[in-house]
Amino acid sequence: MTNYTRLAIICALLSGIVLGASALYLNNMFAYLANALAFLIMLGCVIYLHNLAGASRQTADHADSSTHSGEKFIHESSAFHMQLGNEIAEQLSSAHTELGNTQAILSDAIGKLVSNFILISDGVRDLSAHTNDFSKQIREVATKVNASLAAAEQSSGNIAADDRAAALESNQHVRSIMAELNALNEAVASNAIDLNLISSNVEQNVLVVISTLQFQDMSSQLIEHARMRMTALQEVANEMGKGGGKPSNHEYLERIAAYNRLLDKHVVSLDKQKANPVAQKDFGTGDVELF
Amino acid sequence: MAKTILAIDDSTSIRQMVAFTLKSAGYTVIEAADGKEGLAKASANAGALNLVLTDQNMPVMDGLTLIKTLRGLPQFTTIPILMLTTESSDDMKMQGKAAGATGWLVKPFDPHKLLEVVKKVIG
């Protein structure tokens, strides 16, 4: 019961006594009735005021409770944002480092692979060129020997009249050497064909390797692209992680607005810097356009 | 006398692959790792240079800026400049054309196609 209600009840009782006394003093029926009616109206007002005071108190209690729960909600949200910010920042930092390490390892491995590939490829090319030279020289020598043997066969025919047995033996010897030489010649020709085939396969594989290695470059660009965005997110997460304490409603809304502003700033900055540089959809080679 | 090509790319492996392909066909290749280094090497070899082959996305100076800068220098107004890049959007190609690029090759490049285009452009 409020002080106002108590005062109203006391006033009502006093006015009742005053009205009753005045009615007795006047000794008039109408005055009795009028005073009784005035007392009842005053009592009604007192009851109404009492009820109104009770309702106001309930509303005030409720408002007080809402204010407390609102503050609690803001504090809990702020703490949650801080925790979330710290967790995201930590995870992003870890992923950022891992991606960086992966990129470094990949680049190093590809660098070594490319160097070795160029060395081997140059070696194979030199070997192929040298072998072709040797084959050519062998064939030239074989042709010369063949011509010499033909001349020897001719000579042995000429001396056949003088010493038939010696000539026959010499002739057989020459034919045998010629057969061996032909076999050698065929082997060299066959080797040259094999060598050309190997050389052609190597060249084909070189093309595949060149195309494949270019995907490392694209992977690096994609990783760098992802890392750039992760850095921006990390900064926002770090800002979130710095929040804390028990901010007021206004301070809390200010913080949220600041996170949004920071995020927007990064989005605009990143969009200005670079769009996704890799738009390839398959492993095929790219287009060529001359202006 | 072998024709000289300036190959500019921030990726060492791509640069080596391009150089390997072009050297195999008998061209002399000068390498640079970004637009700024490319500009310096182009200026140092202005008389001997027959073609510039450049990437777009590079640190320090990108390909488009390099082309605009080269085209602004009297000794490079007519030299052929080819872009060799992962960028394949029409918008980027138009920007390249406007900057003064002679052609646009999208990575990954086919060594045969690269040689074909280079031969077409500088013989």
Coordinates of all heavy atoms in Angstrom, one line a residue, chain A residues 110 114-115 117-118 121-122 125 203 206-207 210-211 213-218 221 274 277 279-280 284-291, chain B residues 11 13-14 16-17 20-21 24 57 82 86-88 93 96-97 101-113 117 120-121:
Chain A
I110 N 57.8 -28.0 -56.5 CA 57.6 -27.7 -57.9 C 58.8 -27.1 -58.5 O 59.2 -27.4 -59.6 CB 56.3 -26.8 -58.2 CG1 55.0 -27.6 -57.8 CG2 56.3 -26.3 -59.6 CD1 54.7 -28.7 -58.7
V114 N 60.7 -28.7 -61.5 CA 60.9 -28.0 -62.8 C 62.4 -28.0 -63.2 O 62.7 -28.3 -64.3 CB 60.3 -26.6 -62.7 CG1 60.8 -25.8 -63.9 CG2 58.8 -26.6 -62.6
S115 N 63.2 -27.7 -62.2 CA 64.7 -27.7 -62.5 C 65.2 -29.0 -62.9 O 65.9 -29.1 -63.9 CB 65.5 -27.3 -61.2 OG 65.0 -26.0 -60.8
F117 N 63.3 -31.4 -64.1 CA 62.7 -31.7 -65.4 C 63.4 -31.1 -66.6 O 63.7 -31.8 -67.6 CB 61.2 -31.2 -65.4 CG 60.6 -31.1 -66.7 CD1 60.2 -32.2 -67.4 CD2 60.5 -29.8 -67.3 CE1 59.6 -32.0 -68.7 CE2 59.9 -29.7 -68.5 CZ 59.5 -30.8 -69.2
I118 N 63.8 -29.8 -66.4 CA 64.5 -29.1 -67.5 C 65.9 -29.8 -67.7 O 66.3 -30.0 -68.8 CB 64.7 -27.6 -67.2 CG1 63.3 -27.0 -67.3 CG2 65.7 -27.0 -68.1 CD1 63.2 -25.6 -66.9
S121 N 65.2 -33.2 -69.4 CA 64.7 -33.0 -70.7 C 65.9 -32.5 -71.6 O 66.0 -33.0 -72.8 CB 63.7 -31.9 -70.6 OG 62.8 -32.0 -71.7
D122 N 66.7 -31.6 -71.1 CA 67.8 -31.1 -71.9 C 68.8 -32.3 -72.2 O 69.4 -32.5 -73.3 CB 68.6 -30.0 -71.2 CG 67.9 -28.7 -71.3 OD1 67.0 -28.6 -72.2 OD2 68.2 -27.8 -70.6
R125 N 67.4 -34.6 -74.7 CA 67.5 -34.0 -76.1 C 69.0 -34.1 -76.6 O 69.2 -34.4 -77.7 CB 67.1 -32.5 -76.0 CG 66.9 -31.8 -77.3 CD 66.5 -30.4 -77.2 NE 65.1 -30.4 -76.7 CZ 64.6 -29.4 -76.0 NH1 65.3 -28.4 -75.7 NH2 63.3 -29.4 -75.7
E203 N 58.9 -36.1 -76.0 CA 58.4 -34.8 -76.4 C 56.9 -34.6 -75.9 O 56.5 -33.6 -75.4 CB 58.5 -34.5 -77.9 CG 58.3 -33.1 -78.3 CD 58.3 -32.9 -79.8 OE1 58.8 -33.8 -80.5 OE2 57.9 -31.8 -80.2
V206 N 56.8 -34.2 -72.3 CA 57.2 -32.9 -71.9 C 56.0 -31.9 -72.0 O 55.8 -31.1 -71.1 CB 58.3 -32.4 -72.9 CG1 58.6 -30.9 -72.8 CG2 59.6 -33.1 -72.5
L207 N 55.2 -32.0 -73.1 CA 54.0 -31.2 -73.3 C 53.1 -31.4 -72.1 O 52.5 -30.4 -71.6 CB 53.3 -31.5 -74.6 CG 54.1 -31.3 -75.9 CD1 53.2 -31.6 -77.1 CD2 54.5 -29.9 -75.9
I210 N 54.5 -29.8 -69.0 CA 54.5 -28.3 -69.0 C 53.0 -27.8 -68.7 O 52.8 -26.9 -67.9 CB 54.9 -27.8 -70.4 CG1 56.4 -27.9 -70.6 CG2 54.5 -26.3 -70.6 CD1 57.0 -27.6 -71.9
S211 N 52.0 -28.5 -69.3 CA 50.7 -28.1 -69.0 C 50.3 -28.4 -67.5 O 49.7 -27.5 -66.9 CB 49.7 -28.9 -69.9 OG 49.9 -28.6 -71.2
L213 N 52.3 -28.6 -64.9 CA 53.0 -27.8 -63.9 C 52.4 -26.4 -63.8 O 52.5 -25.7 -62.8 CB 54.5 -27.6 -64.3 CG 55.4 -28.8 -64.0 CD1 56.8 -28.6 -64.5 CD2 55.4 -29.1 -62.5
Q214 N 51.7 -26.0 -64.8 CA 51.1 -24.7 -64.8 C 49.9 -24.6 -63.8 O 49.6 -23.5 -63.3 CB 50.5 -24.3 -66.2 CG 51.6 -24.0 -67.1 CD 51.1 -23.8 -68.5 OE1 50.6 -22.7 -68.8 NE2 51.3 -24.8 -69.4
F215 N 49.4 -25.8 -63.4 CA 48.3 -25.8 -62.4 C 48.8 -25.5 -61.0 O 48.1 -25.0 -60.2 CB 47.6 -27.1 -62.4 CG 46.7 -27.2 -63.6 CD1 47.1 -27.8 -64.8 CD2 45.4 -26.6 -63.6 CE1 46.2 -27.9 -65.9 CE2 44.6 -26.6 -64.7 CZ 45.0 -27.3 -65.8
Q216 N 50.1 -25.7 -60.8 CA 50.7 -25.3 -59.5 C 50.7 -23.8 -59.4 O 50.3 -23.3 -58.3 CB 52.2 -25.7 -59.5 CG 53.0 -25.3 -58.3 CD 53.6 -24.0 -58.4 OE1 54.0 -23.6 -59.5 NE2 53.8 -23.3 -57.3
D217 N 50.9 -23.1 -60.5 CA 50.8 -21.6 -60.5 C 49.4 -21.2 -60.1 O 49.2 -20.3 -59.3 CB 51.2 -21.1 -61.8 CG 51.2 -19.6 -61.9 OD1 51.8 -18.9 -61.0 OD2 50.6 -19.0 -62.8
M218 N 48.4 -21.9 -60.7 CA 47.1 -21.5 -60.4 C 46.7 -21.8 -59.0 O 46.0 -21.0 -58.3 CB 46.1 -22.2 -61.4 CG 46.2 -21.6 -62.8 SD 45.0 -22.4 -63.8 CE 46.0 -23.1 -65.0
Q221 N 48.0 -19.2 -56.8 CA 47.2 -17.9 -56.9 C 46.0 -18.1 -56.0 O 45.5 -17.1 -55.4 CB 46.9 -17.6 -58.3 CG 48.1 -17.1 -59.1 CD 47.7 -16.4 -60.4 OE1 46.8 -15.6 -60.4 NE2 48.4 -16.8 -61.4
K274 N 41.6 -7.3 -56.0 CA 41.7 -8.4 -56.9 C 40.5 -9.3 -56.9 O 40.0 -9.7 -55.8 CB 42.9 -9.2 -56.5 CG 43.5 -10.0 -57.6 CD 44.8 -10.6 -56.9 CE 45.5 -11.6 -57.8 NZ 46.6 -12.2 -57.1
P277 N 41.5 -14.7 -59.4 CA 42.3 -14.7 -60.6 C 42.1 -15.9 -61.5 O 42.6 -16.0 -62.6 CB 43.7 -14.5 -60.1 CG 43.7 -15.2 -58.8 CD 42.3 -15.0 -58.2
A279 N 39.8 -18.6 -63.2 CA 38.4 -18.9 -63.6 C 38.3 -20.2 -64.5 O 37.3 -20.5 -65.0 CB 37.9 -17.7 -64.4
Q280 N 39.4 -20.9 -64.5 CA 39.5 -22.1 -65.4 C 38.5 -23.2 -64.8 O 38.4 -23.4 -63.6 CB 40.9 -22.8 -65.4 CG 41.8 -22.1 -66.4 CD 42.2 -20.7 -66.0 OE1 41.9 -20.3 -64.9 NE2 42.8 -20.0 -66.9
G284 N 41.7 -28.4 -69.5 CA 42.1 -28.1 -70.9 C 43.0 -26.9 -71.0 O 43.0 -26.1 -70.1
T285 N 43.7 -26.7 -72.1 CA 44.5 -25.5 -72.2 C 43.7 -24.3 -72.6 O 42.6 -24.5 -73.1 CB 45.6 -25.7 -73.3 OG1 45.0 -26.2 -74.5 CG2 46.7 -26.7 -72.8
G286 N 44.2 -23.1 -72.3 CA 43.4 -21.9 -72.5 C 43.3 -21.4 -73.9 O 44.0 -21.9 -74.8
D287 N 42.5 -20.4 -74.1 CA 42.2 -19.8 -75.4 C 43.4 -18.9 -75.8 O 44.2 -18.4 -75.0 CB 41.0 -18.9 -75.4 CG 39.7 -19.8 -75.1 OD1 39.8 -21.0 -75.5 OD2 38.8 -19.2 -74.6
V288 N 43.5 -18.7 -77.1 CA 44.4 -17.8 -77.7 C 43.7 -16.8 -78.6 O 42.8 -17.2 -79.3 CB 45.5 -18.5 -78.6 CG1 46.4 -17.6 -79.3 CG2 46.2 -19.5 -77.8
E289 N 44.0 -15.5 -78.3 CA 43.2 -14.5 -79.1 C 44.2 -13.4 -79.5 O 44.9 -12.8 -78.7 CB 42.1 -13.9 -78.2 CG 41.1 -13.1 -79.0 CD 40.0 -12.6 -78.1 OE1 39.7 -13.3 -77.1 OE2 39.4 -11.6 -78.4
L290 N 44.3 -13.2 -80.8 CA 45.2 -12.1 -81.3 C 44.3 -10.9 -81.6 O 43.3 -11.0 -82.3 CB 46.0 -12.5 -82.5 CG 47.2 -13.5 -82.2 CD1 47.8 -13.9 -83.5 CD2 48.2 -12.9 -81.3
F291 N 44.7 -9.7 -81.1 CA 43.9 -8.5 -81.4 C 44.2 -7.9 -82.7 O 45.3 -8.0 -83.2 CB 44.1 -7.5 -80.3 CG 43.8 -8.0 -78.9 CD1 44.7 -7.8 -77.8 CD2 42.6 -8.7 -78.6 CE1 44.4 -8.3 -76.6 CE2 42.4 -9.2 -77.4 CZ 43.2 -9.0 -76.3
Chain B
S11 N 55.7 -16.3 -61.2 CA 55.9 -17.8 -60.9 C 57.2 -18.3 -61.6 O 57.3 -18.3 -62.8 CB 54.7 -18.6 -61.3 OG 55.0 -19.9 -61.4
S13 N 58.3 -21.3 -61.8 CA 58.1 -22.5 -62.6 C 57.5 -22.2 -64.0 O 57.9 -22.7 -65.0 CB 57.2 -23.5 -61.8 OG 56.0 -22.9 -61.5
I14 N 56.5 -21.2 -64.0 CA 55.9 -20.9 -65.3 C 57.0 -20.2 -66.2 O 57.1 -20.5 -67.4 CB 54.7 -19.9 -65.1 CG1 53.6 -20.6 -64.4 CG2 54.3 -19.2 -66.4 CD1 52.8 -21.5 -65.3
Q16 N 60.1 -20.6 -66.1 CA 61.1 -21.6 -66.6 C 60.5 -22.4 -67.7 O 61.2 -22.8 -68.7 CB 61.5 -22.5 -65.5 CG 62.5 -21.8 -64.5 CD 62.9 -22.7 -63.4 OE1 62.1 -23.5 -62.8 NE2 64.1 -22.6 -62.9
M17 N 59.2 -22.7 -67.6 CA 58.5 -23.5 -68.6 C 58.4 -22.8 -69.9 O 58.6 -23.3 -71.0 CB 57.1 -23.9 -68.1 CG 57.0 -24.9 -67.0 SD 57.4 -26.5 -67.6 CE 59.0 -26.7 -66.8
F20 N 61.9 -22.5 -71.4 CA 62.2 -23.9 -71.9 C 61.6 -24.1 -73.3 O 62.3 -24.5 -74.2 CB 61.8 -24.9 -70.9 CG 62.0 -26.3 -71.4 CD1 63.2 -26.9 -71.4 CD2 60.9 -27.1 -71.9 CE1 63.4 -28.2 -71.8 CE2 61.1 -28.4 -72.4 CZ 62.3 -28.9 -72.3
T21 N 60.3 -23.8 -73.4 CA 59.6 -23.9 -74.6 C 60.2 -23.1 -75.7 O 60.4 -23.5 -76.8 CB 58.1 -23.6 -74.4 OG1 57.6 -24.4 -73.3 CG2 57.3 -23.9 -75.7
S24 N 63.8 -24.0 -76.7 CA 63.8 -25.3 -77.5 C 63.5 -24.9 -79.0 O 63.9 -25.7 -79.9 CB 62.6 -26.2 -77.1 OG 62.8 -26.5 -75.7
N57 N 48.7 -10.9 -63.3 CA 48.7 -10.7 -61.8 C 50.1 -11.0 -61.3 O 50.6 -12.1 -61.1 CB 47.7 -11.7 -61.2 CG 46.3 -11.5 -61.6 OD1 45.9 -10.3 -61.6 ND2 45.6 -12.5 -62.0
L82 N 52.5 -9.8 -75.8 CA 51.4 -10.8 -75.6 C 51.2 -11.0 -74.1 O 52.1 -11.0 -73.3 CB 51.9 -12.2 -76.2 CG 52.0 -12.3 -77.7 CD1 52.6 -13.6 -78.1 CD2 50.6 -12.1 -78.4
T86 N 46.2 -16.3 -66.3 CA 45.1 -17.1 -65.9 C 43.8 -16.3 -66.1 O 42.7 -16.9 -66.2 CB 45.1 -17.5 -64.4 OG1 45.4 -16.4 -63.7 CG2 46.3 -18.5 -64.2
E87 N 43.9 -15.0 -66.2 CA 42.7 -14.2 -66.4 C 42.0 -14.5 -67.7 O 42.7 -14.4 -68.8 CB 43.0 -12.7 -66.3 CG 43.7 -12.3 -65.0 CD 42.6 -11.9 -64.0 OE1 41.4 -12.1 -64.2 OE2 43.0 -11.6 -62.8
S88 N 40.7 -14.7 -67.8 CA 40.1 -15.1 -69.0 C 38.8 -14.3 -69.3 O 38.1 -14.6 -70.3 CB 39.9 -16.6 -69.1 OG 39.0 -16.9 -68.0
K93 N 40.3 -8.9 -71.1 CA 40.8 -8.9 -72.4 C 40.6 -7.5 -73.1 O 41.5 -7.0 -73.8 CB 40.1 -9.9 -73.3 CG 40.6 -11.4 -72.9 CD 39.9 -12.3 -73.8 CE 40.2 -13.8 -73.4 NZ 39.4 -14.8 -74.2
G96 N 43.1 -5.2 -71.8 CA 44.4 -5.5 -72.3 C 44.6 -4.9 -73.7 O 45.6 -4.3 -74.1
K97 N 43.5 -5.1 -74.5 CA 43.5 -4.5 -75.9 C 43.6 -3.0 -75.8 O 44.4 -2.4 -76.6 CB 42.2 -5.0 -76.6 CG 42.2 -4.7 -78.0 CD 40.8 -5.2 -78.6 CE 40.8 -4.9 -80.1 NZ 39.5 -5.3 -80.7
A101 N 47.9 -4.3 -75.8 CA 48.4 -5.7 -76.0 C 48.1 -6.2 -77.4 O 47.2 -5.8 -78.0 CB 47.7 -6.6 -75.0
T102 N 49.0 -7.1 -77.9 CA 48.9 -7.6 -79.2 C 48.0 -8.8 -79.3 O 47.3 -9.1 -80.2 CB 50.3 -8.0 -79.8 OG1 51.2 -6.9 -79.5 CG2 50.3 -8.3 -81.3
G103 N 48.0 -9.6 -78.2 CA 47.2 -10.8 -78.1 C 47.1 -11.3 -76.6 O 47.8 -10.7 -75.7
W104 N 46.2 -12.3 -76.5 CA 45.9 -12.7 -75.1 C 45.9 -14.2 -75.1 O 45.1 -14.9 -75.8 CB 44.5 -12.2 -74.7 CG 44.2 -12.3 -73.3 CD1 43.8 -13.4 -72.6 CD2 44.3 -11.2 -72.3 NE1 43.6 -13.0 -71.3 CE2 43.9 -11.7 -71.1 CE3 44.7 -9.9 -72.4 CZ2 43.9 -10.9 -69.9 CZ3 44.6 -9.1 -71.2 CH2 44.2 -9.6 -70.0
L105 N 46.8 -14.8 -74.3 CA 46.8 -16.3 -74.2 C 46.4 -16.7 -72.7 O 47.0 -16.1 -71.8 CB 48.2 -16.8 -74.4 CG 48.7 -16.8 -75.9 CD1 49.4 -15.4 -76.2 CD2 49.8 -17.9 -76.1
V106 N 45.5 -17.6 -72.6 CA 45.0 -18.0 -71.3 C 45.8 -19.2 -70.8 O 45.9 -20.2 -71.6 CB 43.5 -18.2 -71.3 CG1 43.0 -18.7 -69.9 CG2 42.8 -17.0 -71.7
K107 N 46.3 -19.2 -69.6 CA 47.0 -20.4 -69.0 C 45.9 -21.4 -68.6 O 44.8 -21.0 -68.3 CB 47.7 -20.0 -67.7 CG 48.9 -19.1 -68.0 CD 49.5 -18.7 -66.6 CE 50.6 -17.7 -66.7 NZ 51.1 -17.2 -65.5
P108 N 46.2 -22.7 -68.6 CA 47.5 -23.2 -69.0 C 47.8 -23.2 -70.5 O 46.9 -23.5 -71.2 CB 47.4 -24.7 -68.4 CG 46.0 -25.0 -68.4 CD 45.3 -23.7 -68.2
F109 N 49.0 -22.8 -70.8 CA 49.3 -22.8 -72.3 C 49.8 -24.1 -72.8 O 50.4 -24.9 -72.1 CB 50.3 -21.6 -72.5 CG 51.7 -22.0 -72.0 CD1 52.6 -22.6 -72.8 CD2 52.1 -21.5 -70.7 CE1 53.9 -22.9 -72.3 CE2 53.4 -21.8 -70.3 CZ 54.3 -22.5 -71.0
D110 N 49.5 -24.3 -74.1 CA 50.0 -25.5 -74.8 C 51.2 -25.0 -75.5 O 51.2 -24.0 -76.3 CB 48.9 -25.9 -75.8 CG 49.4 -27.0 -76.7 OD1 50.6 -27.2 -76.8 OD2 48.5 -27.7 -77.3
P111 N 52.4 -25.6 -75.2 CA 53.6 -25.2 -75.8 C 53.6 -25.0 -77.3 O 54.1 -24.1 -77.9 CB 54.6 -26.3 -75.4 CG 54.1 -26.9 -74.2 CD 52.6 -26.8 -74.3
H112 N 52.9 -26.0 -78.0 CA 52.8 -25.9 -79.5 C 52.0 -24.6 -79.9 O 52.4 -23.9 -80.8 CB 52.0 -27.1 -80.0 CG 52.9 -28.3 -80.1 ND1 54.2 -28.3 -80.5 CD2 52.6 -29.6 -79.7 CE1 54.7 -29.5 -80.5 NE2 53.8 -30.3 -80.0
K113 N 50.9 -24.3 -79.1 CA 50.1 -23.1 -79.5 C 50.9 -21.9 -79.2 O 50.9 -20.9 -79.9 CB 48.9 -23.1 -78.6 CG 47.7 -23.8 -79.2 CD 46.4 -23.4 -78.4 CE 45.3 -24.4 -78.7 NZ 44.2 -24.2 -77.8
V117 N 51.8 -19.1 -82.0 CA 51.4 -17.7 -81.9 C 52.7 -16.8 -82.0 O 52.7 -15.8 -82.7 CB 50.7 -17.4 -80.5 CG1 50.4 -15.9 -80.3 CG2 49.3 -18.1 -80.5
K120 N 53.8 -16.6 -85.4 CA 52.9 -15.8 -86.2 C 53.2 -14.3 -86.0 O 53.1 -13.5 -86.9 CB 51.5 -16.1 -85.7 CG 50.4 -15.8 -86.8 CD 49.1 -16.2 -86.2 CE 48.1 -16.6 -87.3 NZ 46.9 -17.2 -86.7
V121 N 53.5 -13.9 -84.7 CA 53.7 -12.5 -84.4 C 55.1 -12.0 -84.8 O 55.2 -10.9 -85.3 CB 53.5 -12.3 -82.8 CG1 53.8 -10.9 -82.4 CG2 52.0 -12.6 -82.5

